[in-house]
Amino acid sequence: MSTSALINRLFDVIEDDIAPKTAEGVAHGNKLFGAAILRKSDLSLVLAETNNEMENPLWHGETHCLKRFYEMPKADRPDTKDCIFLSTHEPCSLCLSAITWAGFDNFYYLFSHEDSRDSFAIPHDLKILKEVFTLDPGGYNAENAYWKSYGLRRLVRELPEAERKTLETRIGNIAKRYDDLSASYQSGKAENDIPLN
Ligand SMILES: [Zn+2]
């Protein structure tokens, strides 16, 4: 499978499987972060989930997805080594650790930590990395003994022009959708009791 076919499939999952759940979650006061697990073999979806911090502040998009994954019957659950982990936004320190402990050897994300801070007004990922781990932006090890991470925007930038243009249009459409979700979350967040809202 080509890189652009993989990216198109991951964008399909964001648009068709994650974002609808996130729209529902945001309507209930949750943040707009979501995640999904796919089988490497045929890129079929295992499951998609969204942030559920209104229930528990540890249920970020990624950790909530992992919680649901381990609630599946063991027989239906592929080995994490045979799976792709997809996150709409670059995982925070909590989720980086969760993905590691669950045994994935990869993850892909669309929006960066800087996007979360600058476009989505959620600075906590970078702030925690700095305050707790003394790391500057980009300071964690994006490829290490456990996994390799892939920023989808960077992968798109490296493609030949024709494929790049098509995928950049798709990114623009997805970003617009998430801008709306962000406006909705930000306008209601004064009323929630999420510790780091
Ligand atoms: Zn997180």
Side-chain angles (χ1 to χ4, degrees), residues 60 62 91-92 94-95 125:
H60 290 188
E62 301 92 324
C92 75
L94 167 70
C95 297
D125 307 301

Side-chain angles (χ1 to χ4, degrees), residues 99-116:
I99 291 165
T100 310
W101 282 100
F104 291 88
D105 65 10
N106 71 87
F107 64 84
Y108 292 76
Y109 61 89
L110 178 54
F111 302 108
S112 67
H113 283 158
E114 287 86 347
D115 292 330
S116 293

